[in-house]
Amino acid sequence: LYIFVAGVFAIVVLGTAAVLFFWMRRRARIKRSLNLKLLLVRLPMAPPNEESAKIERVKEKIAVMEQLYASLAGLKSKGLFSSKPWMAFEMTVPAKDTELSFYAAVPRQFSDSVEKLIYAYYPDASVANVPDYNIFTEAGKVAASTASLTDGRVLPIRTYKALEADPMKGISSLFSKLDEMSEGAAVQLVFRPA
């Protein structure tokens, strides 16, 4: 009888510990996701040139962005059980607007560091703290999609060195076809350094 009671007690204690662990982990994730600062990043427009020089300039800009990603990978919270922070980069056109905007959502404790990194790699950039925005209209409808790699998460889909055209051109041309008053769109890349 004592073994049965001890077994039931152990199961109850382990079950309670598991529920408490998952509840605390979920609560920490929610707290972390609500503790982000939104940075509006603007880069100056490049003057139009011939197509071959333009591709080389795009490759150079992507190479700089690769270095920025490598620098962001070095960010880590202090503490015994802390992990690397989640961040998001967004490209968006809100409804009732025609301007394509770039945003970076970063943890508040790293916002100054991320801002300095952006200025270090893109000296001509303009970075501003902005309140959260809404790409939707009050009477609008929402459609969303996600994409992820099934194999080879470390390997890129295509390297920037093999590019033959500007990869942003396709996305930005889709954004330009939105109705100015009733449609908004955003592409968001959410990541955490490995």
Side-chain angles (χ1 to χ4, degrees):
L1 182 67
Y2 291 117
I3 295 174
F4 176 74
V5 172
V8 169
F9 180 73
I11 289 172
V12 168
V13 167
L14 288 175
T16 304
V19 167
L20 186 61
F21 171 77
F22 287 114
W23 179 75
M24 293 290 285
R25 190 169 89 175
R26 182 175 183 270
R27 188 173 167 168
R29 285 181 178 170
I30 291 171
K31 181 181 176 186
R32 193 171 33 227
S33 69
L34 293 175
N35 195 24
L36 296 177
K37 188 177 247 186
L38 194 62
L39 304 174
L40 173 62
V41 181
R42 294 180 189 252
L43 296 170
M45 291 289 291
N49 281 340
E50 62 218 37
E51 197 65 30
S52 62
K54 187 176 179 182
I55 296 302
E56 290 303 316
R57 192 172 58 244
V58 167
K59 288 181 182 181
E60 289 171 9
K61 292 287 186 188
I62 294 174
V64 171
M65 193 67 184
E66 181 180 37
Q67 293 173 355
L68 176 65
Y69 285 144
S71 297
L72 291 174
L75 297 177
K76 186 174 188 225
S77 300
K78 294 180 181 176
L80 183 61
F81 296 109
S82 61
S83 63
K84 297 204 176 193
W86 289 92
M87 297 180 207
F89 287 156
E90 302 176 18
M91 184 172 72
T92 182
V93 175
K96 300 180 183 175
D97 197 358
T98 59
E99 186 174 313
L100 180 66
S101 301
F102 295 94
Y103 293 94
V106 298
R108 290 186 192 279
Q109 68 186 28
F110 296 120
S111 64
D112 290 336
S113 299
V114 171
E115 187 173 344
K116 289 175 186 175
L117 283 171
I118 291 170
Y119 282 131
Y121 290 106
Y122 295 99
D124 297 334
S126 168
V127 180
N129 294 326
V130 293
D132 204 0
Y133 65 93
N134 187 358
I135 66 169
F136 308 109
T137 60
E138 293 78 22
K141 296 182 179 166
V142 178
S145 180
T146 61
S148 62
L149 300 174
T150 55
D151 294 326
R153 294 182 182 184
V154 178
L155 301 175
I157 298 171
R158 176 187 243 177
T159 65
Y160 66 90
K161 296 173 185 171
L163 288 178
E164 298 168 359
D166 184 357
M168 297 291 285
K169 191 181 251 184
I171 295 171
S172 59
S173 70
L174 288 174
F175 280 8
S176 69
K177 295 178 182 175
L178 296 173
D179 182 69
E180 292 179 19
M181 296 309 290
S182 63
E183 293 181 327
V187 174
Q188 184 179 61
L189 173 68
V190 180
F191 65 96
R192 183 178 73 181

